């Protein structure tokens, strides 16, 4: 498959694992998906880990602060052509920037924010680093969706902050789902997960491709993961989720 470059502003362009044990995470994901892991310069990039597959960027990983009050997790960065303008739009839309847009030497400009319901989301203005270079393959990103606890408010936020055009997915009155699409291509979604989460915090969910979901889940368990959601068929493919060895939720979807 040829390399891809995300060019649509507002679309997911990078995925990042915050882990309490980078070495263990590298071992697990390299064995599970065949990823290669490269650790960046400790001074310039804080020892940031870049995962790749067949020389194509897939995702990154960084060490979680020891006193961080949240579990290990996967995060999503949305593409922007102007990080500073996105930071302003986030604040105007009711979100909160966690820090000022920060230059990453030669790579690009990054920011991180919380939406009005408290879900975190990153944004990335590319320099030399243009984001992930593969998708919809085994071990590559397939889909990202926000598990929203305040659906209407969060829909409004992403429309304003990232200039999304959202279309409803017709799946019945009890299942509210909106899809960000542009020029006939779907990029990510927002799911009204308030009832499913039952008071638990919402956030972004990342799905990686699996040539065989059941085989991938079984291998993940052999490598130290535990099953969160058993493999099941959906109208959009077979899906499952596990808790990786350091506590992050890993979701897989058939390709």
């Amino acid at each position: 498959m040829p390399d891809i470059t995300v060019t649509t502003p507002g679309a997911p362009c990078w995925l990042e694992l915050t882990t309490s044990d980078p070495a263990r995470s590298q071992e697990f994901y390299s064995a599970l998906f065949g990823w290669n892991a490269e650790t960046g310069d400790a001074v310039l990039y804080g020892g940031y880990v870049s995962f790749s597959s067949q020389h194509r960027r897939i995702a990154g990983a960084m060490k979680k602060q020891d006193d961080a009050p949240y579990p290990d997790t996967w995060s999503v960065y949305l593409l922007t052509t102007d990080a500073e303008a996105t930071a302003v739009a986030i604040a105007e839309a009711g979100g909160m920037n966690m820090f000022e847009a920060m230059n990453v030497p030669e790579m690009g400009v990054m920011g991180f924010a919380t939406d009005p319901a408290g879900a975190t989301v990153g944004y990335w203005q590319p320099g030399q680093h243009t984001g992930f270079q593969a998708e919809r393959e085994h071990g590559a990103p397939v889909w990202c969706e926000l598990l929203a606890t305040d659906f209407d408010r969060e829909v409004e936020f992403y429309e304003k902050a990232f200039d999304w055009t959202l279309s409803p997915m017709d799946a019945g009155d009890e299942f509210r789902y909106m899809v960000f699409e542009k020029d006939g291509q779907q990029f990510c979604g927002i799911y009204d997960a308030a009832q499913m989460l039952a008071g638990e915090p919402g956030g972004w969910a990342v799905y990686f491709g699996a040539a065989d979901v059941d085989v991938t889940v079984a291998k993940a368990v052999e490598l130290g993961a535990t099953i969160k959601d058993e493999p099941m068929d959906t109208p959009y493919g077979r899906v499952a989720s596990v808790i990786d060895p350091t506590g992050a939720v890993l979701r897989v979807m058939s390709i």
Side-chain angles (χ1 to χ4, degrees):
M1 297 287 287
D3 293 1
I4 66 101
T5 300
V6 179
T7 58
T8 300
C13 66
W14 189 240
L15 310 172
E16 183 176 86
L17 175 66
T18 304
T19 171
S20 54
D21 188 342
R24 182 70 179 94
S25 295
Q26 290 179 57
E27 178 185 32
F28 173 76
Y29 286 97
S30 296
L32 182 64
F33 289 131
W35 290 351
N36 295 312
E38 182 177 349
T39 303
D41 183 271
V43 176
L44 285 178
Y45 306 119
Y48 193 86
V49 176
S50 294
F51 291 117
S52 63
S53 176
Q54 299 179 355
H55 306 290
R56 296 174 298 170
R57 289 187 300 268
I58 296 292
M62 63 180 295
K63 176 73 166 64
K64 186 178 74 174
Q65 295 181 358
D66 293 337
D67 59 351
Y70 52 82
D72 291 8
T73 188
W74 279 99
S75 298
V76 174
Y77 285 81
L78 305 179
L79 181 68
T80 178
T81 58
D82 187 331
E84 291 186 359
T86 295
V88 172
I90 285 170
E92 292 178 345
M96 183 180 69
N97 290 286
M98 300 175 70
F99 48 82
E100 292 186 4
M102 180 175 66
N103 181 61
V104 181
E106 300 181 349
M107 298 294 104
V109 183
M110 67 167 290
F112 220 77
T114 57
D115 71 21
T120 58
V121 62
Y123 48 100
W124 178 253
Q125 177 186 329
Q128 293 182 10
H129 191 301
T130 58
F132 51 70
Q133 296 175 303
E135 62 182 358
R136 305 182 192 284
E137 301 176 22
H138 182 77
V142 174
W143 188 246
C144 299
E145 64 187 10
L146 176 67
L147 305 180
T149 56
D150 192 341
F151 184 74
D152 293 330
R153 194 176 178 195
E154 288 175 284
V155 164
E156 181 180 14
F157 169 78
Y158 286 92
E159 288 177 329
K160 291 181 177 179
F162 294 99
D163 196 28
W164 282 8
T165 298
L166 289 162
S167 301
M169 181 182 291
D170 186 10
D173 295 338
E174 296 182 1
F175 182 84
R176 294 203 297 170
Y177 200 106
M178 300 286 280
V179 176
F180 167 43
E181 56 184 345
K182 189 171 184 178
D183 299 329
Q185 184 175 355
Q186 296 183 339
F187 294 99
C188 54
I190 301 181
Y191 168 44
D192 185 354
Q195 185 173 355
M196 179 189 74
L197 293 173
E200 295 181 9
W204 279 89
V206 177
Y207 293 83
F208 289 96
D212 186 312
V213 167
D214 297 76
V215 170
T216 300
V217 167
K219 186 174 182 179
V221 171
E222 289 178 4
L223 294 169
T226 57
I227 294 177
K228 182 177 184 292
D229 298 299
E230 294 279 359
M232 63 177 293
D233 292 319
T234 76
Y236 313 102
R238 192 162 177 81
V239 300
S241 64
V242 301
I243 308 296
D244 77 12
T246 73
V249 178
L250 168 65
R251 296 173 171 87
V252 291
M253 176 180 288
S254 58
I255 52 173

